[in-house]
Amino acid sequence: MILKEHWNNKVVLDTSVVLYDALSLNAFKETDIHIPLPVIEEIDRFKRDMGENGRNARHFSRFMDTLRSQGSLTNGVPLKSGSYVYVNMSTISEDFTDLDNSKTDNRILGTALLLQRQFPSSKVELISKDINLRVKSDVFGIASKDYDPDRVASVEDMYTGIRHIDIEIDRINKFFQEGSLDIGTEKFYANQYVVMKCQDKTALGRYDKKQNKVVALVQSDIPVWRVHPRNSEQSFAFDALFNDDILFVSLVGKAGTGKTLLALAAGLFKTMDEGRYKRLLVSRPIFPMGRDIGYLPGDLEQKLNPWMQPVFDSLEFIMGMGKKASHLTQDLIDQGLLNIEPLAYIRGRSIPRQYLIVDEAQNLTPHEIKTIITRAGTGTKVVLTGDCYQIDNPYVDASNSGLTYSVEKFKGEEIVAHVTLQKGERSELAELAANLL
C-alpha cells in the first residue's frame, strides 16, 4: 500500500512510549507519526489494567478514536502541532529473514524498515523505551532513540537546592547579629539554601526572595519528636519542612540520609503539636524490590501492611516507646490524625489542610507527580522524598523520574524548596554500603 507523505521526518512509535505518555503524539512537530497495528493490539490488552499503564492505554484509545472520526488514519490525520498520525499494517519484507514475523517487536520494527524503503530520502526513526528493540533497530540500520521529553541532563546536574559561598568574616558576624544578610548583586533561586564560609567560621541560611536577603534558618534546640538535625543538610530540610510559607518540599538523597524520618517528625509536630494541619497523610507507591511474592492474604489493611511497614518503622523510631509505639500509632490512625495509604487511592481526591508526605517518589512518572500535587487543597503542604538511584519502576529511570522532573520544574518558585541530602546518618554500615555498593 502506498502511503501519502506529508513531512520528510517520520517516526514509528512503540507500545512502551504510549504506555509511558498517552499523549506522546503531541510531542512531535511537523512529523509523520506512524502507529503500527501491533501497538493498537497491545494497547487493547493493557486497557483493562487498573494501574497507570491501563489509564494511559484507555486515554490513548480515546484519543485515537477522536482522530479516527476526523479523517482516515490510513492517509494520515492532522494534529494541532502540524504532524500527521497514521496506523500501519505491519509486515516484514521477505528480505529480512532474520526477523520472526510472529513477534510484536519485530513487526513494529518491520514498519520502520518498510517506511525507510518506501521513502528513502526521508528521515525514519523508531521511538521506543524498550532497549532491546532499539538495539535491534540499530542492527538493521534504522535510527532509534528513547522517548524522554522530560529528561534531565543527568542526576549529577540536578538542582541541589544548596549553594556554598565564601564571604568576609565581618559579614558572617553581621549575619549572626541581625539574623539576615543583604546579598547585593548575587543571584540565588527562591528558597535556595546557603552555606557561608570564612576560614573556620560557617553560617547557614536561606535566600528569601521577597526580602532579597539570606535569612537565618528555623532552629530548635529541643528535638522534635526525638528527632533533631545532625548535619547542615538536615538543618536545611527541617527549615523547609517547618516553614509554613513553603507549600512544596522535595528531599532527595541516598538511603540513610534521614529524608523520611525528618518529614514524618515535622509532619507529626505540625499536625499534633501545632494543630496547623488536620491530618498527617503518608503515602507511597507500591513497587516490590526484586521478585514479587504475589498476592497477599487477608483484608485490605493486612495486604497493605508489608508495603507500608517502612513508614511504621520510622514512626516507631520517632515515638521511641518500644512496643507502646505501635499502639500509639494505631491510636493516631483511629483518631483520624494520621492516615497511611497507597497512592493508588489518591486520584480524584481533594486534600485540604493536610500534611501530605509521598515516600519513594522516585518510582513515579512526571504525570503521576502532577496528579498528586494537583490533589492539594487549600492549606495543604506536599513533601516528596526519594532516592533517584533506587528506582523499581521499569518505565522510569533516574533522569526521567517524576521526582527529578519536579525538582527541576519547580526550582525558583517562592512556595517551593528542595534539598539534596548527601551525608548518611542511619549507621556507619549503612553509610558504607550506600557509598560502595
Side-chain angles (χ1 to χ4, degrees):
M1 181 177 65
I2 303 299
L3 296 174
K4 184 178 180 181
E5 183 177 28
H6 291 94
W7 298 105
N8 193 48
N9 292 329
K10 304 182 190 308
V11 298
V12 177
L13 295 192
D14 179 30
T15 311
S16 59
V17 174
V18 176
L19 294 178
Y20 178 81
D21 181 3
L23 298 179
S24 53
L25 300 178
N26 295 323
F28 303 93
K29 298 185 184 302
E30 299 184 349
T31 301
D32 287 346
I33 306 168
H34 293 266
I35 311 295
L37 191 60
V39 171
I40 303 296
E41 293 170 343
E42 282 197 312
I43 290 299
D44 189 60
R45 290 197 294 271
F46 273 101
K47 70 183 182 182
R48 295 173 183 81
D49 190 286
M50 297 306 295
E52 188 69 15
N53 286 341
R55 285 191 287 271
N56 283 337
R58 292 188 292 273
H59 195 171
F60 176 76
S61 295
R62 289 192 292 269
F63 186 48
M64 291 299 291
D65 191 46
T66 301
L67 294 179
R68 183 187 61 81
S69 66
Q70 296 173 359
S72 170
L73 288 168
T74 301
N75 296 322
V77 177
L79 299 174
K80 292 180 179 179
S81 62
S83 295
Y84 283 78
V85 179
Y86 303 77
V87 173
N88 298 68
M89 294 287 291
S90 293
T91 57
I92 298 175
S93 171
E94 295 178 356
D95 298 341
F96 302 104
T97 56
D98 293 333
L99 290 176
D100 183 355
N101 197 44
S102 65
K103 293 185 177 180
T104 300
D105 281 358
N106 290 344
R107 292 166 62 198
I108 293 171
L109 177 56
T111 298
L113 291 168
L114 292 174
L115 282 173
Q116 189 177 63
R117 173 167 296 183
Q118 187 171 349
F119 303 102
S121 62
S122 295
K123 178 185 178 182
V124 178
E125 279 187 317
L126 176 60
I127 312 297
S128 175
K129 297 193 71 63
D130 185 333
I131 296 174
N132 291 329
L133 181 55
R134 297 203 300 268
V135 170
K136 282 198 285 188
S137 178
D138 286 347
V139 169
F140 284 92
I142 298 293
S144 63
K145 66 180 181 181
D146 194 0
Y147 175 77
D148 279 319
D150 305 322
R151 178 177 289 274
V152 178
S154 70
V155 178
E156 288 74 19
D157 296 331
M158 184 177 69
Y159 173 62
T160 65
I162 302 171
R163 181 174 170 185
H164 296 257
I165 62 173
D166 294 321
I167 63 173
E168 299 80 9
I169 188 65
D170 58 329
R171 297 189 71 198
I172 286 187
N173 292 332
K174 183 178 180 181
F175 175 78
F176 282 124
Q177 291 170 4
E178 300 180 1
S180 64
L181 184 68
D182 194 328
I183 64 166
T185 58
E186 288 275 0
K187 299 296 182 182
F188 294 90
Y189 289 107
N191 296 319
Q192 187 172 22
Y193 290 96
V194 186
V195 179
M196 298 170 284
K197 288 185 177 181
C198 182
Q199 299 175 355
D200 295 332
K201 201 164 187 178
T202 301
L204 306 179
R206 173 180 54 83
Y207 173 63
D208 187 310
K209 187 174 181 179
K210 290 181 179 178
Q211 300 183 52
N212 195 31
K213 292 182 177 181
V214 175
V215 298
L217 304 180
V218 174
Q219 297 287 353
S220 175
D221 296 330
I222 302 174
V224 177
W225 284 76
R226 299 183 66 251
V227 175
H228 60 88
R230 295 185 176 183
N231 56 55
S232 60
E233 295 160 0
Q234 290 191 353
S235 295
F236 295 150
F238 249 23
D239 179 83
L241 293 166
F242 280 98
N243 191 326
D244 295 331
D245 293 328
I246 297 176
L247 302 181
F248 178 74
V249 178
S250 52
L251 303 179
V252 173
K254 62 188 178 183
T257 50
K259 309 177 296 293
T260 305
L261 199 66
L262 295 170
L264 286 171
L268 286 169
F269 181 81
K270 286 289 183 180
T271 304
M272 315 303 171
D273 299 343
E274 284 193 352
R276 180 172 181 83
Y277 304 95
K278 67 179 182 180
R279 182 182 296 111
L280 170 60
L281 173 58
V282 186
S283 192
R284 67 200 314 258
I286 295 178
F287 280 100
M289 184 185 73
R291 189 182 297 274
D292 195 354
I293 62 174
Y295 291 103
L296 298 172
D299 57 20
L300 180 61
E301 182 178 349
Q302 292 171 320
K303 289 178 186 292
L304 293 178
N305 274 340
W307 304 105
M308 300 299 150
Q309 191 57 48
V311 176
F312 287 111
D313 290 343
S314 296
L315 286 170
E316 289 181 11
F317 175 83
I318 289 172
M319 294 175 184
M321 300 174 63
K323 294 181 179 180
K324 293 182 180 179
S326 59
H327 296 295
L328 180 56
T329 301
Q330 189 59 50
D331 288 343
L332 294 175
I333 293 174
D334 294 339
Q335 295 172 34
L337 297 174
L338 173 64
N339 195 9
I340 301 174
E341 62 181 43
L343 278 175
Y345 304 129
I346 202 169
R347 182 179 291 273
R349 294 179 56 187
S350 180
I351 305 173
R353 282 198 61 225
Q354 297 188 35
Y355 200 103
L356 170 60
I357 299 173
V358 180
D359 196 24
E360 302 292 345
Q362 76 275 3
N363 283 317
L364 300 172
T365 65
H367 177 69
E368 288 170 323
I369 290 289
K370 179 180 178 180
T371 300
I372 293 165
I373 298 175
T374 53
R375 299 303 98 207
T378 303
T380 287
K381 182 163 186 162
V382 179
V383 180
L384 304 183
T385 68
D387 179 0
C388 294
Y389 291 104
Q390 291 192 353
I391 294 177
D392 302 307
N393 186 343
Y395 296 99
V396 166
D397 62 30
S399 295
N400 63 21
S401 161
L403 179 58
T404 311
Y405 177 68
S406 63
V407 170
E408 287 298 317
K409 286 293 184 179
F410 276 113
K411 68 180 180 184
E413 297 295 329
E414 292 189 33
I415 60 171
V416 176
H418 167 72
V419 179
T420 298
L421 298 101
Q422 303 282 355
K423 191 172 190 292
E425 298 287 357
R426 179 173 291 161
S427 68
E428 184 179 354
L429 176 59
E431 173 71 355
L432 188 65
N435 291 333
L436 297 181
L437 298 182

